[in-house]
Amino acid sequence: MERIEIERACERLVHAYSRALDLGEMSAAADFFAEHGSFARPMAPDKVIQGREAIRAALLTRPKTFADEASCHQRDDRRRQPRRGRRASYLTMISTTPTRDMAAPYVSAGPVYFGEIKDRFVREDGEWKSSSGADRSR
């Protein structure tokens, strides 16, 4: 039963993080990371950002003109320890920059990004948090 609870908690974390990004709630998205977590943007996978507050600062620099929707499908939770876990997620992201006169739903000519994100999770103060995310966008 504990394994199922851990898998579900990590699954909810990934979906809630994706939703926060979709809604433009960048500070809330950063809260899903562990204090000493790391993150690399899909378009700059070699530039790793260390620490929750540095991640927050980086996310807050994201242009507010973007309209993104991310679809995240997960596979295979391979938990090795009760306080750590990992999971791979497949991500499809459609992005556009709507003009002021556009109303949702937006039409997008792209770009469309897809790839795999390999997350690692850690239990911090009783909550599961992302400790790292490595993206392989295509």
Side-chain angles (χ1 to χ4, degrees):
M1 188 62 148
E2 179 187 24
R3 179 183 172 97
I4 292 170
E5 290 172 358
I6 292 169
E7 288 175 4
R8 186 68 181 119
C10 292
E11 182 180 335
R12 283 192 307 266
L13 186 146
V14 170
H15 285 286
Y17 168 76
S18 296
R19 184 68 178 148
L21 290 178
D22 286 349
L23 294 173
E25 297 173 355
M26 299 306 161
S27 188
D31 289 336
F32 292 105
F33 284 88
E35 181 180 358
H36 301 291
S38 64
F39 167 75
R41 288 186 170 167
M43 300 306 116
D46 296 330
K47 185 180 177 189
V48 178
I49 303 161
Q50 293 288 144
R52 181 187 305 132
E53 294 312 313
I55 293 168
R56 185 182 322 280
L59 289 174
L60 288 170
T61 66
R62 187 170 184 261
K64 294 187 185 320
T65 57
F66 282 156
D68 292 336
E69 288 296 325
S71 173
C72 192
H73 304 279
Q74 300 176 16
R75 70 166 171 87
D76 190 34
D77 180 48
R78 294 165 292 192
R79 183 177 62 87
R80 301 287 185 236
Q81 303 169 6
R83 295 186 55 80
R84 299 191 183 279
R86 62 184 181 180
R87 173 177 291 256
S89 302
Y90 298 108
L91 174 73
T92 304
M93 185 173 77
I94 301 169
S95 193
T96 191
T97 304
T99 61
R100 292 186 189 272
D101 60 334
M102 289 176 73
Y106 304 116
V107 175
S108 175
V112 175
Y113 304 102
F114 60 94
E116 179 182 58
I117 298 174
K118 293 189 176 180
D119 286 306
R120 293 191 180 274
F121 302 98
V122 64
R123 197 164 177 116
E124 185 177 271
D125 298 325
E127 288 187 58
W128 285 95
K129 300 280 186 175
S130 179
S131 63
S132 69
D135 177 67
R136 293 196 168 102
S137 292
R138 297 177 184 106

